Amino acid sequence: MQRKKNRKPKTSGRRDPHASREATRYEQPIASRELILEVITEADRPVNRTDMEALLDIHDEAGVEALRRRLNAMLRDGQLVRNRRNCYALADQFDLVQGRVIGHQDGFGFLVTDDEGDDVFLSARQMRALFHGDRVMVRITGLDRRGRREGDVVEVLKRNTHTVVGRFYSENGVHFVTPDNKRLPNDIAVPPGESKDARHGQIVSVEIIQQPEKRSPPVGHVVEVLGDHMAPGMEIDIAIRSHEVPQAWPPAVEKEISGYSEQVPASAKRGREDLRELPLVTIDGIDARDFDDAVYCETTSGGWRLLVAIADVSHYVHPETALDAEAIERGNSVYFPERVIPMLPEVLSNGLCSLNPEVDRLCMGCEMLFNKDGKMVRSRFMNGLMRSHARLTYDEAAAIMVDGDTEARERREALVPHLEELYRLYKALRKRRSKRGAIDFETTETRIVFGADRKIEKIVPLVRNDAHKVIEECMIVANVAAARYLQRHKMPALYRVHATPAADKVSDLQEFLNELGLGLRGGNKPTARDYSAVLAMAQGRPDEHLINTVLLRSMPRAEYTPDNIGHFGLAHDDYTHFTSPIRRYPDLLVHRAIRHLLAGKKPKSFHYSMDRMHDLGEHCSATERRADDATRDAVDWLKCEFMLDRVGETYAGIITSTTSFGLFVELQDIYVEGLVHVTALGNDYYHFDPTRHWLMGERTNKIFRLGDPIEVKVVQVNLDDRKIDFELSDGQTNKQTGKRSGKKTGKKTGKKTGKRSGKKTGKKKKKSVNKSIDKPAGKTKSKKQRKRRGKKTALRKKSR
C-alpha cells in the first residue's frame, strides 16, 4: 500500500476515531486496527471476512484487498486469531495467551506471557517447533504435575532466531551444527553442499533457511567459518553472533558517513553558546576511547554552578536516516574485554562526537545552580560549542582532588581550583543523596588482564575511587535536570525507571530479615530509605554480604519507558538518561526532545509519538539485556578457559546463590563462579528454602546459606557449557543448627535432593518428607528401593 494524504476510510455509519491517522498513511485508507477490534468485540462471535466487509461498508476491490492485508497484519502481531472456518476473533475470546518463549537446555521451555501472568510450561514436544525467543500464541491445556500452567502452541507469531553459531559436525556423511546457545537444544541440519568446507569441530555461523517444525528439525546453511574451537578471540566472535549483535555497517551507513571529516564545520558552530574559554575537562577510565561528557564547576555566592557538557550526537544523527536506523537496531554499544561494538561508526564515536582534548566540539550543555546544601535550585539547557581543556583519568583526578598530590596539582595547575570546587560540590551532593535515602550497593566489578596470545594472566577487581563517584553524581544530577525539563514541558521521551519491588518479593524479604533479627519498614511498599536503613544496620555484621545480596535480588531491573514512574533505587521522582548519547540510543532521543524545545517548538510537532516511544523503550531495554547477555557469555568462556589448568586445586570462596540443585560459589581473589552440585554435599537429603536462601540437610541439619564462606576443590571445567564444577574440600565444615523445630526452621519448601540416609523416621517427620518428594503418603520403601531412588533422583534446574 502506497502512502498518500487526505482520504478517509468508509465505515458503516460508525465513526473511526483514527480515520485521520489512517488517511495520512495510505493511498487506500482502511479502518483502523482499533475499529476492527471494536467491531469484532461487539459482534459477540467470530466474524469472517465477508461479514467484516459488510460491517465496515467495504465493497470495492481495492478496499477488500486493503482489509485483507490489515487482517493478516493483525494476525501476525497476535491481535487477532483465525479459526478453522476462517473467522476472526480476539485472542482472549479463545482463551489464548501470547508471549515470548524461554528455552531450556533440557529441551522444555516456558512462555513468558505479555499480561505478566504466571509462566506457561511448554513440553519438549512443543519446543521441537520453536526457538528460544520466538513469539507464540498458546492455548492453556491444564496444570502439570508440579501445578504449573501448561500449554500447546497454536501459532508462531514471530520468529526470533535467524542465525545460529555453533560447532560443525560431520558424521557418516550427515552434517549438522550444535548451537553454542544452550537454550537452543535442537541441532541444525546442514544439507549437502551447504557447509562452506567447514571441518569437523570448527565453529561456524549458520543462517536458518527452514524454521523447526514438530516433525522436522531446523535447516540451515553455513555462511561463515569462524575458526577452531580454542582460537584466541573466539569467545567474543561466538557471543556476537549467538546474540545477533550487529557489527557490520550497511553500505547505506558507509555512504552517509563518508562526508564527515575530523573537524567541526564552521557552519555548525554558528548560533551556539560559546563555552570554549571555560576549562571543561573529561574524566574517564585509562582505556576509554569515546568521551561523552565534560564537567566544570565554580563557586557562587549561594553555592555552586555546575556545567555538564555532553557530546551533541543529535546534530549528526538525524531521524529517518540509515545511520539512525542502524543506531536503533544496535540500541547501545557493547563492551567486551578489550573489544567494543559501537552504536555509532568510529568516525563519530571516537572522532567528531567525542569530546577529545584541545579541539572544538559541538555539545548539549546542562547548567545547574546548587545551594550550599547541594540542592539544585535552577537549571537550563543550551546548544553549545566547547573545547576540552584536559583529558583526565580517574586516578589523576583523584590524586588532585582527594590526595592532594603535589606533582599532579602542579601539572594541572590551572584546573586545580575548579576541581577542588567540584569535589566540594560532590560532598554536598553525597550528603543530600544519603538524606534522600538512595540505595548504595557495594558490588565488585572485575577486569580480565591478558598476556601473550590473548592468554589470561589474572582477573583483578576494579577499584572505585572518589573521582568515579564525583562524575557519577554529576551525571545523576544532569539526568534529573533533563527529566524534569521534559516532564515540565510534557514531551514524549524515554525515562529511566526503576519500579518499586513487587509485593511477593517484599514479603519474602521481610520474612528473611525477621529471621536475622532485622526489619524492613514500609509494609508492602517500602521506600529506598527503608532499604538503606537495612543496609546501614547490616554494616559490620558477619552476614553483611548475605543481606546486601538478598536486598539487591528483591528489586526489579531498571528499564526504559515513556511512563515516568520514578527511580526507586536512586530515590528520584524524575530520572532519565541524558549523558551518554554516543553509546546509548535513549540518550540520543532525550537530546532530540530537548533540542526540539530549545528551538521553541511544541510537543505536538515532535517527530515521536507516545506509542512510538513505548516501542523504542521496549526495544532499547531488550538491546541492553542482549548486550549484558553477550558480554556475560564471553566473560564466562574466558573464566572457564582460565580455570582449565587449575582442576584439582582448592580455593576459599563465598556462596553466591543457593538453589534446589546445589550451591553457586565464587572463588575469593579469582572472582570465578562455579557449582557445587547437591549430590556433592554429603550423605543426606537437602531441603531448599528460597526465603532463607539456604540448603539444609534433613538428617545432619547442615546448612549451606547464601553469603557463607566455603572451601571447595575444582573438579571439572566444561568450556562448551561455560560451567565449572566444584566439590567440598576435604577439610570443609559447615554450619549446623541446634534442635530443629517449627519455630526454628519454619515450613519446608522446595525439592528434596541428594542421597538419603537409611535411618527410619517418625510419623511426623515422614509426613514432611512426603510433602517434599513425589511418593504416596504413608508407604515406607525398603532399603533397596531407597538406594535405587537415591541413584535415580532427578535434579531439575531452574528454568530461568
Side-chain angles (χ1 to χ4, degrees):
M1 290 181 282
Q2 299 180 1
R3 298 179 181 269
K4 193 176 179 181
K5 294 186 177 182
N6 302 325
R7 290 188 62 185
K8 296 185 178 181
K10 297 178 181 179
T11 58
S12 180
R14 185 190 301 269
R15 182 178 179 276
D16 189 344
H18 303 283
S20 298
R21 182 191 67 194
E22 300 298 318
T24 61
R25 290 182 174 181
Y26 304 109
E27 180 181 2
Q28 177 60 52
I30 189 61
S32 65
R33 294 188 180 211
E34 293 85 350
L35 180 60
I36 291 174
L37 293 174
E38 182 181 328
V39 167
I40 294 177
T41 301
E42 292 180 359
D44 200 27
R45 59 178 175 81
V47 180
N48 61 35
R49 204 170 78 198
T50 302
D51 293 340
M52 187 79 67
E53 293 166 5
L55 288 169
L56 297 174
D57 196 21
I58 296 175
H59 304 292
D60 60 297
E61 185 176 340
V64 170
E65 175 62 16
L67 177 63
R68 184 189 67 82
R69 293 185 181 183
R70 171 56 56 86
L71 292 174
N72 286 340
M74 295 177 72
L75 288 172
R76 183 184 63 245
D77 295 340
Q79 291 180 294
L80 295 178
V81 178
R82 184 170 53 199
N83 63 18
R84 295 179 182 178
R85 296 184 177 185
N86 287 323
C87 293
Y88 299 88
L90 275 62
D92 55 4
Q93 291 176 320
F94 283 136
D95 293 330
L96 302 178
V97 294
Q98 57 181 305
R100 185 169 62 93
V101 173
I102 301 295
H104 190 275
Q105 64 180 8
D106 290 340
F108 58 87
F110 292 90
L111 181 78
V112 180
T113 61
D114 292 343
D115 60 6
E116 299 183 356
D118 293 338
D119 293 350
V120 180
F121 177 75
L122 300 174
S123 66
R125 183 171 61 86
Q126 295 294 322
M127 288 295 296
R128 286 184 202 144
L130 303 174
F131 274 131
H132 169 74
D134 286 348
R135 285 192 55 79
V136 299
M137 190 85 71
V138 167
R139 176 181 290 107
I140 305 300
T141 58
L143 302 178
D144 69 1
R145 61 185 181 85
R146 297 177 62 180
R148 301 172 300 191
R149 291 196 300 172
E150 188 169 8
D152 287 346
V153 176
V154 174
E155 186 176 356
V156 178
L157 302 174
K158 183 179 180 181
R159 292 291 187 177
N160 175 71
T161 302
H162 306 287
T163 60
V164 172
V165 175
R167 293 187 74 174
F168 178 83
Y169 293 97
S170 179
E171 298 177 357
N172 300 322
V174 177
H175 303 324
F176 61 93
V177 172
T178 299
D180 179 78
N181 187 346
K182 298 310 171 186
R183 292 188 182 275
L184 306 176
N186 299 323
D187 291 336
I188 315 297
V190 179
E194 300 288 348
S195 63
K196 209 168 187 177
D197 298 325
R199 298 195 306 272
H200 181 85
Q202 285 189 312
I203 304 296
V204 301
S205 178
V206 178
E207 182 181 9
I208 304 299
I209 57 178
Q210 180 180 312
Q211 293 286 340
E213 298 177 2
K214 288 186 177 180
R215 292 179 177 83
S216 60
V219 179
H221 64 89
V222 177
V223 294
E224 186 179 8
V225 179
L226 301 182
D228 294 329
H229 184 227
M230 294 288 289
M234 183 58 66
E235 71 287 341
I236 295 178
D237 288 333
I238 290 175
I240 289 171
R241 290 162 177 82
S242 292
H243 295 277
E244 299 188 11
V245 176
Q247 60 173 336
W249 299 108
V253 173
E254 297 281 6
K255 183 179 179 180
E256 285 185 2
I257 65 176
S258 61
Y260 290 131
S261 66
E262 295 183 0
Q263 302 298 324
V264 178
S267 59
K269 299 179 182 180
R270 288 194 289 269
R272 289 176 170 265
E273 190 165 337
D274 196 337
L275 307 172
R276 287 176 289 184
E277 296 303 316
L278 284 179
L280 286 154
V281 298
T282 62
I283 305 177
D284 290 274
I286 192 170
D287 54 352
R289 297 174 63 191
D290 55 348
F291 307 111
D292 285 294
D293 54 86
V295 294
Y296 165 77
C297 186
E298 65 182 11
T299 186
T300 65
S301 58
W304 294 273
R305 173 195 177 210
L306 173 66
L307 180 63
V308 175
I310 306 299
D312 191 358
V313 178
S314 63
H315 177 82
Y316 301 101
V317 183
H318 303 287
E320 308 299 334
T321 61
L323 182 57
D324 185 59
E326 185 65 17
I328 292 174
E329 178 66 22
R330 298 186 177 214
N332 46 257
S333 298
V334 186
Y335 294 85
F336 294 103
E338 296 193 340
R339 183 174 173 185
V340 179
I341 307 298
M343 184 183 81
L344 300 174
E346 289 193 10
V347 67
L348 292 175
S349 61
N350 295 351
L352 201 52
C353 291
S354 183
L355 305 183
N356 300 325
E358 303 303 335
V359 293
D360 288 355
R361 287 291 183 258
L362 306 183
C363 69
M364 177 80 72
C366 177
E367 181 186 68
M368 294 162 281
L369 298 181
F370 297 88
N371 65 18
K372 294 186 182 298
D373 293 327
K375 180 182 179 181
M376 188 191 306
V377 293
R378 197 174 73 189
S379 65
R380 73 181 181 98
F381 290 86
M382 71 199 80
N383 293 311
L385 175 65
M386 65 160 286
R387 174 180 284 253
S388 172
H389 285 228
R391 181 265 197 265
L392 304 179
T393 65
Y394 288 119
D395 290 341
E396 184 180 7
I400 296 171
M401 294 187 296
V402 184
D403 303 331
D405 184 274
T406 303
E407 182 180 347
R409 292 170 72 90
E410 289 177 353
R411 187 169 61 250
R412 306 288 190 181
E413 184 177 1
L415 302 176
V416 169
H418 311 296
L419 292 175
E420 288 180 338
E421 291 303 326
L422 185 66
Y423 193 53
R424 293 189 184 102
L425 171 60
Y426 157 73
K427 291 179 179 178
L429 293 175
R430 286 295 297 185
K431 287 182 181 178
R432 192 162 189 85
R433 177 189 179 113
S434 299
K435 184 178 180 180
R436 194 172 69 243
I439 304 172
D440 277 320
F441 288 109
E442 288 297 331
T443 57
T444 302
E445 297 184 15
T446 59
R447 181 170 66 91
I448 296 176
V449 179
F450 293 95
D453 298 327
R454 200 176 163 79
K455 298 294 289 184
I456 303 176
E457 287 187 355
K458 55 186 176 179
I459 302 172
V460 298
L462 290 175
V463 179
R464 276 168 47 90
N465 58 35
D466 272 6
H468 289 83
K469 298 174 183 178
V470 167
I471 294 302
E472 180 182 277
E473 287 300 321
C474 290
M475 298 306 108
I476 288 175
V477 293
N479 288 336
V480 170
R484 290 175 179 173
Y485 184 65
L486 296 173
Q487 185 77 4
R488 187 164 61 248
H489 289 85
K490 297 181 170 58
M491 278 293 290
L494 287 184
Y495 295 91
R496 182 66 169 180
V497 304
H498 186 217
T500 302
D504 58 334
K505 295 282 188 180
V506 171
S507 177
D508 290 343
L509 176 61
Q510 288 171 334
E511 184 177 345
F512 166 77
L513 293 174
N514 289 339
E515 290 283 332
L516 301 180
L518 301 173
L520 176 67
R521 299 189 302 266
N524 291 332
K525 292 185 177 181
T527 64
R529 186 179 286 106
D530 297 326
Y531 267 63
S532 296
V534 175
L535 288 173
M537 289 187 288
Q539 283 186 351
R541 290 176 53 124
D543 53 3
E544 180 180 358
H545 179 77
L546 164 65
I547 295 168
N548 285 4
T549 303
V550 175
L551 285 171
L552 181 61
R553 291 178 181 175
S554 70
M555 296 189 296
R557 181 174 180 142
E559 60 184 4
Y560 296 106
T561 175
D563 301 321
N564 182 21
I565 62 172
H567 197 291
F568 176 80
L570 293 175
H572 277 302
D573 294 331
D574 305 294
Y575 194 71
T576 189
H577 274 171
F578 160 76
T579 56
S580 297
I582 291 178
R583 59 187 177 88
R584 291 190 306 228
Y585 194 78
D587 301 53
L588 176 55
L589 290 173
V590 168
H591 277 234
R592 286 174 179 165
I594 293 174
R595 176 186 289 277
H596 184 85
L597 292 173
L598 291 177
K601 299 178 182 178
K602 301 296 183 182
K604 287 184 178 180
S605 62
F606 191 40
H607 181 76
Y608 302 95
S609 66
M610 284 293 287
D611 288 342
R612 180 58 176 152
M613 280 295 180
H614 271 289
D615 294 340
L616 288 169
E618 291 178 4
H619 173 75
C620 291
S621 297
T623 60
E624 181 185 45
R625 292 191 297 269
R626 178 180 67 187
D628 290 344
D629 292 343
T631 305
R632 183 170 55 250
D633 275 2
V635 171
D636 287 348
W637 172 297
L638 290 169
K639 288 183 176 181
C640 286
E641 184 180 341
F642 180 64
M643 296 300 294
L644 281 173
D645 299 331
R646 290 163 174 77
V647 174
E649 296 183 10
T650 299
Y651 296 92
I654 294 289
I655 297 176
T656 56
S657 181
T658 56
T659 70
S660 61
F661 54 85
L663 317 168
F664 285 97
V665 177
E666 183 182 88
L667 305 183
Q668 291 183 359
D669 302 325
I670 297 182
Y671 308 100
V672 171
E673 191 176 68
L675 174 69
V676 180
H677 201 269
V678 69
T679 54
L681 295 180
N683 187 26
D684 203 350
Y685 255 121
Y686 283 87
H687 296 276
F688 171 53
D689 190 324
T691 302
R692 295 181 177 84
H693 302 273
W694 73 30
L695 280 171
M696 174 182 278
E698 176 186 296
R699 177 176 55 85
T700 61
N701 282 0
K702 288 182 180 178
I703 288 179
F704 297 91
R705 187 173 64 172
L706 188 150
D708 282 350
I710 192 171
E711 190 175 83
V712 295
K713 180 164 63 174
V714 183
V715 294
Q716 182 179 344
V717 177
N718 188 325
L719 196 58
D720 288 335
D721 292 343
R722 321 291 201 272
K723 292 180 180 177
I724 303 173
D725 290 330
F726 300 146
E727 65 180 21
L728 300 183
S729 66
D730 295 337
Q732 172 64 42
T733 58
N734 310 298
K735 288 186 178 182
Q736 293 196 24
T737 63
K739 179 181 179 182
R740 279 201 308 171
S741 66
K743 293 182 180 180
K744 182 73 177 178
T745 64
K747 65 178 182 179
K748 300 177 185 176
T749 59
K751 293 179 64 179
K752 184 187 299 184
T753 54
K755 297 178 183 179
R756 184 175 178 181
S757 67
K759 291 184 179 182
K760 294 183 179 180
T761 58
K763 289 184 179 180
K764 188 171 184 179
K765 190 171 183 178
K766 186 167 66 178
K767 184 176 180 181
S768 176
V769 169
N770 290 332
K771 290 182 179 179
S772 301
I773 59 177
D774 297 320
K775 68 179 182 179
K779 293 185 179 180
T780 305
K781 291 184 176 289
S782 66
K783 182 176 181 181
K784 184 175 181 180
Q785 287 175 312
R786 287 196 299 269
K787 183 176 181 182
R788 186 185 301 121
R789 181 175 182 85
K791 290 181 178 180
K792 289 186 176 182
T793 299
L795 303 172
R796 186 177 299 233
K797 295 184 178 180
K798 279 187 175 181
S799 61
R800 291 187 292 128

